[in-house]
Amino acid sequence: MRRSLRPRIGQLDRNCSFRMRKGRGRTSRIRRRKLFRSSVSRGVNESYKPEFIELKKWLKDRKFEDTNLIPACFPGTGRGLMSKTSLREGQMIISLPESCLLTTDTVIRSYLGTYIAKWQPPPSPLLALCTFLVSEKHAGDQSLWKPYLEILPKAYTCPVCLEPEVVNLFPKPLKAKAEEQRAHVQGFFSSSRDFFSSLQPLFSEAVESIFSYSALLWAWCTVNTRAVYVKHRQEQCFSREPNTCALAPYLDLLNHSPHVQVKAAFNEETRCYEIRTASGCRKHEEVFICYGPHDNQRLLLEYGFVSIQNPHACVYVSEDILVKYLPLTDKQMNKKISILKDHDFIENLTFGWDGPSWRLRTALKLLCLEAEEFTCWKKILLGEIISDTNEKRSLVIAQKICQYFIEETSAMLRKVSHMKDEEVALINQLALVETLWIEELRILQASAEILNSLQTAFRFAFFPSTGIPALVEYNPNKQMGPTHFGRQSEDLDGSGHLSLFIYMAHSTVR
């Protein structure tokens, strides 16, 4: 065989006086960076797996065949849907026919319909869907919905499914809601036992073994985490609870991102559930939908996950922490708290990526009113500035609260890290909680920086050489400094105090 005289890639002719080492040039570095970025965002195609092949056949029999998306596994988000081609803004990414949806109509038309119709008091739409899921899962290979059931998660990470010692590690507001969720599901199961008993003629096994708490919990989580909104007509055989849930096979593989916008709704004309993207998507990237502008505690409670760099994420300030650093000698404190409660300013007080929310700042300003300023509390709620002293005091208290949360969060992260070493069986659950606390720590650190900047703004509010007040604007993305000189009437409020104008973009709670 004739040997090629052409040097191979990465090698030079022997007569050359130098040698280039492979992959050390600028072009190679750029290529490696591009490959790294694509490997991070691109998923691994899973459409070849038997469960997805069966699902695709099942969907095709029901008049649906997708041309835009394929199932894939992605780093960070797990199983999702990947674009086969580039998607443009406004393009239909999925249109799922009504025949593919699992709704209460599906349940009524099934073998369960007769039992539901005669049961009193009428069962809820949620109970009907959960009962159908448990029953069909028990049917195994005999179920017409087996291809869909096979791709559903075997277990969920909603708080109701987590171990009590893990739930105890939650932030207090989330822990309280998680305990309410657990009590709700347990009550749901207890109140449904008699209805399950009425289904005994359908099964050869005892219904108690089929409709166990764990089976119903799995079904409840399936509906709660995966259902889409489809309004149905009110049936006499159901209770008056909203009948708006539908399970959407294949479509429910789409993961959530707070950074995307989509238009999703059931089209009455086409009788399909349709999703259109409001932004483009490159080929072989994960396609996301948005479940709503939820903070991370809400996402974990309802869906069992935490979103990294979630712009809606926040840290909640409870009433006891709100007053933690206020003087105990304030005789008007109870009255102030009563005013905040009467005007709905005691809940949803938060720190976000852009600092303390307007609601939190307002509540602290009211609580920091001096005795002689107390009659001005209505102005505080309307957003007016009472005095520079009140502004400064409220900022100092906000800083102390923020620092308290930073210390508490850091301590909790150390505790979670220690438990991960001790409780190996809970490693996945603990990692989820750890992610939540890490995100909250980042938010608090961002808030602390902003509060420091606001304090700086006050220190430089007056020019030392002239004593002339400067109008100061705060923008997290710009350097702090005086923006312009105005007339005295523009720089001072009616009380003769300096007004500080603060710009905060994308406030999480208003």
Side-chain angles (χ1 to χ4, degrees), residues 448-497:
E449 291 180 7
I450 290 172
L451 285 166
N452 285 334
S453 297
L454 292 175
Q455 288 284 61
T456 302
F458 273 112
R459 284 197 293 270
F460 292 97
F462 286 85
F463 287 99
S465 60
T466 64
I468 301 174
L471 182 64
V472 179
E473 178 186 30
Y474 173 69
N475 185 326
N477 300 315
K478 295 194 297 185
Q479 186 176 1
M480 178 69 67
T483 56
H484 69 273
F485 294 104
R487 295 189 303 275
Q488 188 176 22
S489 61
E490 292 174 334
D491 291 338
L492 303 177
D493 63 16
S495 62
H497 295 287

Side-chain angles (χ1 to χ4, degrees), residues 27 34 47 50 57 59-60 92 108 122 167-168 175 182 202 204 210 258 292 327 333 351 353 355 370 388 395 402 436:
T27 302
K34 287 183 177 179
S47 60
K57 290 179 181 178
L59 291 168
K60 189 174 182 180
M92 181 88 70
I108 289 297
V167 175
N168 284 334
K175 180 183 175 183
R182 187 181 299 274
L202 294 172
S204 57
I210 299 172
M333 185 56 64
F351 288 101
W353 295 106
E370 299 284 3
D388 59 327
L395 281 178
C402 187
L436 176 66

Side-chain angles (χ1 to χ4, degrees), residues 138 196-197 199-200 203-212:
H138 173 73
F196 296 148
S197 295
L199 304 178
Q200 186 60 72
F203 305 97
S204 57
E205 302 93 331
V207 289
E208 290 81 4
S209 63
I210 299 172
F211 295 94
S212 63

Side-chain angles (χ1 to χ4, degrees), residues 10 49 243 488:
K49 290 190 173 182
N243 188 3
Q488 188 176 22

Side-chain angles (χ1 to χ4, degrees), residues 6 10 68 151 169 190-191 212 228 268 323 330 352 468 474 496 500:
R6 185 178 179 181
N68 295 321
I151 60 98
L169 299 172
S190 297
S191 63
S212 63
V228 296
E268 295 289 347
V323 301
D330 189 344
I468 301 174
Y474 173 69
L500 179 69

Side-chain angles (χ1 to χ4, degrees), residues 417-435:
S417 179
H418 177 72
M419 284 187 66
K420 286 174 69 178
D421 294 333
E422 299 292 326
E423 305 286 348
V424 179
L426 299 177
I427 190 74
N428 292 330
Q429 295 185 20
L430 291 169
L432 180 63
V433 178
E434 185 178 50
T435 302

